[in-house]
Amino acid sequence: MKKLKSTLPNMLLSLTIICLVAGAILAGVNMYTLEPIAASKAAALQNAIQQVVLEFDNNPTEQAYKAVTSEGDSLIIYPATKNGKFVGAAVESNTKKGFGGEIKVIVGFDPEGKLLNYSVLQHTETPGLGSKMQEWFRTDKNKQSIIGRSMTNGNLSVTKDGGDVDAITAATISSRAFLDAVNRAYSAYKGGADGTSGATSKTQTEEGGEK
């Protein structure tokens, strides 16, 4: 085969061919992995819902809807039913008030507004400090745990702000942000839950010593 001369047009042609081949390979890989990634995310969400609500026999993700928070935006609510009876819901919430940025959580409530459990889905808080939110607020020690608290009594806040929840040691900002996400979750749930369908109105669908 005759070797192409090292001219500018030939170099551009070679680069174009390389880019086209690389692009085709990447597109193929993306198509091949798209379905497994989606399935993995769906399974992770289903597992998170199971962790934060009472036993159910429906598919909450198929009956999900959006409800408006007290701040005017909307959150996704996953209603849980058992033998056709509404037993609570999981609410996917978030806040951008974290020390490291956005925090995403999923919070479970029973029909009376009691907080059943929570799971932190995503955060960028400081390891060893703000990251303790994963377990801190379910630990039965002093005023740390929020599990079993009735949200009908008002928003949760840290003791430093006049509330009755102990903040993570040296991570007050992260603690405030976490509770903000929980409060937002309940505000959407309160506005949407009716104890039967899960909604009345819906749109389908460090910190190192922070003060």
Side-chain angles (χ1 to χ4, degrees):
M1 182 181 291
K2 186 177 179 181
K3 186 177 180 181
L4 291 175
K5 293 183 179 181
S6 181
T7 62
L8 181 59
N10 287 340
M11 290 174 64
L12 291 174
L13 177 62
S14 298
L15 287 173
T16 300
I17 293 173
I18 291 172
C19 289
L20 289 173
V21 171
I25 293 173
L26 289 174
V29 171
N30 182 62
M31 290 180 63
Y32 181 77
T33 59
L34 196 60
E35 187 172 337
I37 290 175
S40 177
K41 287 183 177 180
L45 176 59
Q46 187 73 6
N47 182 59
I49 294 172
Q50 290 175 339
Q51 289 180 24
V52 302
V53 293
L54 299 175
E55 185 179 353
F56 55 86
D57 56 16
N58 68 317
N59 189 336
T61 58
E62 290 183 352
Q63 299 173 19
Y65 60 91
K66 289 185 177 181
V68 179
T69 71
S70 58
E71 297 174 358
D73 59 340
S74 59
L75 299 175
I76 301 177
I77 296 182
Y78 304 95
T81 60
K82 179 73 171 180
N83 297 323
K85 181 181 179 180
F86 180 67
V87 295
V91 185
E92 199 170 347
S93 182
N94 71 301
T95 181
K96 295 183 179 180
K97 298 179 180 180
F99 184 81
E102 186 175 24
I103 296 172
K104 293 183 178 180
V105 300
I106 189 164
V107 189
F109 303 100
D110 74 1
E112 286 71 47
K114 182 173 71 175
L115 196 156
L116 298 172
N117 205 348
Y118 72 87
S119 180
V120 178
L121 302 176
Q122 176 185 315
H123 75 85
T124 53
E125 302 304 276
T126 306
L129 291 174
S131 62
K132 290 182 179 179
M133 73 179 80
Q134 295 274 13
E135 298 298 333
W136 180 276
F137 296 104
R138 62 166 58 93
T139 301
D140 188 15
K141 179 182 178 182
N142 299 323
K143 298 179 180 179
Q144 288 181 210
S145 179
I146 62 173
I147 305 301
R149 297 204 186 196
S150 175
M151 295 295 293
T152 60
N153 296 326
N155 284 347
L156 300 175
S157 60
V158 297
T159 54
K160 184 175 287 188
D161 297 334
D164 61 353
V165 181
D166 286 343
I168 301 169
T169 305
T172 304
I173 294 175
S174 297
S175 300
R176 285 178 177 137
F178 170 82
L179 294 180
D180 178 61
V182 172
N183 292 332
R184 279 169 43 75
Y186 181 68
S187 72
Y189 176 68
K190 178 177 64 176
D194 65 8
T196 303
S197 65
T200 50
S201 60
K202 58 187 180 182
T203 302
Q204 290 290 352
T205 355
E206 207 125 23
E207 284 138 320
E210 47 177 86
K211 305 298 183 181

